[in-house]
Amino acid sequence: MTPRHPAPELRRKHSRARLRTLAFLSPWLVGFSVFFAYPLLATVYFSFMHYNQIEAPTFVGLRNWKYVLDQMPLFGPALWNTLWLVVVMVALRVVFGLGIGLLVTKIKSGVGLFRTLFYLPYLAPPVAATVAFVFLLNPGTGPVNEVLSAIGVAAPNWFNDPAWAKPSLVLLSLWGIGDLMVIFMAALLDVPKEQYEAAELDGAGALAKFRYVTWPSITPIVMFAVVTGVVQTMQYYTQALVAGKLASGVSVGPGSSIQPGYPDHSTLTVPQLVYSLGFQNFNTGAACVLSLVLFAIAMAVTSLLMRKGAGLQTAED
């Protein structure tokens, strides 16, 4: 007969195990509660309130939601610009980062030099990088337009042209592609060489080896880059605001004030609109509504991408 623990002793053992588990989980639980759960619940609460950050909040029902979704004229352009940047910027960053990673892994000599040159722009602070980029693309005095004019190419107005402002921001993001380059380099170097050798024995060319060997191995890393890129671009704020200020002639510094989105609201994003409503116009309720809409869109897109990625991984397996 196997001896049995008395019921009180067994319960004490289970209680100690639960307390030990909670002790290990406590840092995560505190961080989740303080930095995610409480801000999210507070945002939902204030979205139904009129609150100017001075007086006590008062309940207004769905008035903030109706104002944002039906009456705010800049909500549509800001949402369109944000989604445009998510689609174009994330796609080009992934393709460009993967291409640079493939290039650097194939170089036989000077790998460290090329890796450093491509990674250095990523280390530049966002404000400093944007200031330098706006100077380079200045339509009047920028060296890029001077070179284009010298070779007979019609130089665009870049950040001063509504049609070119968002593509200019995409070029800025591609300039700082070093983070994705390093991630893709690690994934590419981790592909087993035996699979490439087997593919060569079967007569596979470069495209076939990439399709049937490289791509299945790096698919999880590509999905990681896409999902994190979507989340980051949904929060796109600093570069667009600084570029608009500089291109409009307003100096970046204390006391400078300008409506975001220059030129003609072409670089206005939802995070900029949230800041403008909440901290410049003190309309906290409408800012919370915008934050929740952005959060819902980000969650929906991320869930869709994760589901598609899981489906691709299952199909490949």
Side-chain angles (χ1 to χ4, degrees):
M1 295 290 293
T2 303
R4 296 181 178 179
H5 294 284
E9 183 179 350
L10 186 60
R11 284 196 296 269
R12 286 195 296 269
K13 183 177 180 180
H14 288 169
S15 298
R16 287 195 297 268
R18 293 191 191 97
L19 290 175
R20 186 165 55 249
T21 303
L22 285 175
F24 283 113
L25 287 175
S26 59
W28 181 87
L29 291 173
V30 171
F32 177 83
S33 302
V34 173
F35 297 108
F36 182 79
Y38 171 73
L40 180 61
L41 293 176
T43 303
V44 174
Y45 170 77
F46 284 117
S47 69
F48 298 102
M49 299 289 172
H50 171 71
Y51 181 47
N52 59 7
Q53 304 179 24
I54 299 175
E55 301 173 350
T58 57
F59 181 75
V60 294
L62 296 176
R63 188 180 304 172
N64 292 324
W65 290 85
K66 183 178 180 181
Y67 169 71
V68 170
L69 299 178
D70 292 341
Q71 302 172 7
M72 181 181 293
L74 296 180
F75 174 67
L79 183 60
W80 162 251
N81 293 334
T82 303
L83 296 179
W84 189 97
L85 290 172
V86 166
V87 173
V88 177
M89 186 180 292
V90 173
L92 290 180
R93 276 180 55 84
V94 171
V95 172
F96 196 68
L98 179 57
I100 296 298
L102 284 169
L103 176 64
V104 175
T105 54
K106 298 299 181 182
I107 295 175
K108 300 300 182 182
S109 60
V111 177
L113 175 62
F114 283 99
R115 187 169 53 220
T116 302
L117 289 176
F118 283 116
Y119 188 74
L120 274 178
Y122 173 71
L123 299 178
V127 174
T130 307
V131 170
F133 214 74
V134 173
F135 168 76
L136 292 173
L137 298 182
N138 187 288
T141 60
V144 173
N145 277 18
E146 290 182 359
V147 172
L148 292 177
S149 299
I151 61 177
V153 177
N157 286 329
W158 301 112
F159 290 104
N160 294 89
D161 186 349
W164 279 94
K166 287 192 290 293
S168 300
L169 292 175
V170 173
L171 290 177
L172 172 60
S173 70
L174 295 180
W175 183 57
I177 200 66
D179 56 336
L180 288 186
M181 178 202 69
V182 172
I183 293 174
F184 284 129
M185 280 183 59
L188 291 168
L189 293 174
D190 197 45
V191 179
K193 295 182 179 179
E194 295 80 5
Q195 296 185 12
Y196 288 118
E197 295 172 356
E200 288 180 359
L201 292 176
D202 290 338
L207 290 178
K209 285 192 290 186
F210 177 81
R211 178 180 178 183
Y212 296 107
V213 178
T214 305
W215 182 254
S217 300
I218 67 172
T219 298
I221 308 302
V222 173
M223 290 305 304
F224 168 80
V226 171
V227 171
T228 55
V230 167
V231 174
Q232 291 173 356
T233 311
M234 283 284 186
Q235 305 172 53
Y236 199 71
Y237 174 83
T238 303
Q239 293 88 336
L241 184 65
V242 173
K245 281 190 173 185
L246 290 173
S248 65
V250 176
S251 61
V252 180
S256 62
S257 177
I258 186 177
Q259 288 299 321
Y262 179 88
D264 294 337
H265 307 300
S266 60
T267 59
L268 179 66
T269 60
V270 176
Q272 292 182 58
L273 202 55
V274 171
Y275 180 84
S276 178
L277 283 172
F279 297 99
Q280 291 180 330
N281 299 322
F282 300 103
N283 191 346
T284 305
C288 289
V289 171
L290 276 175
S291 300
L292 291 174
V293 170
L294 188 64
F295 174 75
I297 295 174
M299 287 294 294
V301 174
T302 302
S303 301
L304 179 63
L305 289 173
M306 295 292 289
R307 187 172 301 177
K308 292 291 184 181
L312 287 175
Q313 192 66 25
T314 303
E316 290 171 359
D317 296 339

